[in-house]
Amino acid sequence: MNITDVLKRPLITEKATLLKETSNAVTFAVDPRANKKQVQEAVEKLFKVKVLDVKTMRVSGKTKTRGRIVGRRPGWKKAVVVLKPGDKIEFFEGV
């Protein structure tokens, strides 16, 4: 898997912003097939930072109802990446 395929998009939520401020951790939506080592390599190469820890979790899709039609949103995978103290990703600054 190519390193550009591993990271899909950054997640900017209240919880992710709080993690960034308190523990220097950033959150990404990643490819469901990616493992922790691939996520670590992708973040280090793309953003030129040192990664200390990676936590991954699968988020299950929600069931949505529209009238009598019931559908389901797809599940996805989330990664919380803890960076070395002093390192930061400029993409998240000012958000």
Side-chain angles (χ1 to χ4, degrees), residues 70-85:
V70 177
R72 185 163 180 85
R73 287 188 178 170
W76 51 287
K77 192 171 190 177
K78 175 167 59 170
V80 178
V81 180
V82 180
L83 303 177
K84 182 178 129 186

Side-chain angles (χ1 to χ4, degrees), residues 10-77:
L11 295 178
I12 302 171
T13 61
E14 288 183 38
K15 186 182 265 188
T17 305
L18 186 65
L19 276 174
K20 180 179 71 79
E21 293 170 355
T22 58
S23 61
N24 200 25
V26 292
T27 309
F28 293 97
V30 296
D31 190 282
R33 298 168 294 174
N35 59 27
K36 292 181 181 187
K37 193 69 176 167
Q38 291 171 331
V39 172
Q40 179 181 356
E41 290 174 1
V43 171
E44 286 180 345
K45 288 182 180 177
L46 289 174
F47 298 107
K48 314 249 185 317
V49 293
K50 177 72 176 142
V51 174
L52 297 180
D53 189 26
V54 177
K55 297 177 182 93
T56 60
M57 58 210 78
R58 291 190 176 268
V59 180
S60 61
K62 296 179 180 179
T63 302
K64 292 293 184 178
T65 306
R66 189 168 192 177
R68 287 187 280 168
I69 299 171
V70 177
R72 185 163 180 85
R73 287 188 178 170
W76 51 287
K77 192 171 190 177

